[in-house]
Amino acid sequence: MSPEVLVALVTAAGVILAAVVTALPALRSLQRTTAGAVAEQGAVTREHLAELGRVLNTRIDDVRDDIDGVREDVARVREWQAGHDAEHMLIGRPPRGDS
């Protein structure tokens, strides 16, 4: 290897090392800033997800109450229908629809 090439390689390595040493404080500062921002945004995101969970649970409970109301209505109709069919059996007429 010629001395000029060796000098060029050593110079290039020195320049790269100087650039890395110079950039390290800025990179560490950027990393700290980014970590703080990510932690802050993570907390906000968790709060919003918790609120969304509360809203969804409330809505699910409302739907369950609606379903329970429909089930009660269906049970009342079935009870009435059974009583109505029993009345027809007692008076000797077939119930409607069973001609």
Side-chain angles (χ1 to χ4, degrees), residues 12-88:
V15 168
I16 291 173
L17 183 61
V20 169
V21 168
T22 304
L24 280 177
L27 288 174
R28 286 187 181 169
S29 173
L30 179 64
Q31 184 181 17
R32 280 189 219 117
T33 303
T34 303
V38 168
E40 183 180 323
Q41 288 297 317
V44 170
T45 300
R46 282 188 292 279
E47 289 173 10
H48 286 136
L49 285 174
E51 177 62 26
L52 179 61
R54 285 189 290 274
V55 169
L56 285 174
N57 284 333
T58 301
R59 183 64 187 128
I60 288 169
D61 291 340
D62 291 346
V63 168
R64 284 183 180 153
D65 291 343
D66 292 345
I67 290 172
D68 289 343
V70 169
R71 285 183 179 152
E72 290 172 6
D73 291 344
V74 168
R76 277 195 299 273
V77 168
R78 286 183 177 165
E79 288 171 4
W80 175 87
Q81 192 173 24
H84 186 75
D85 289 346
E87 288 173 353
H88 278 273

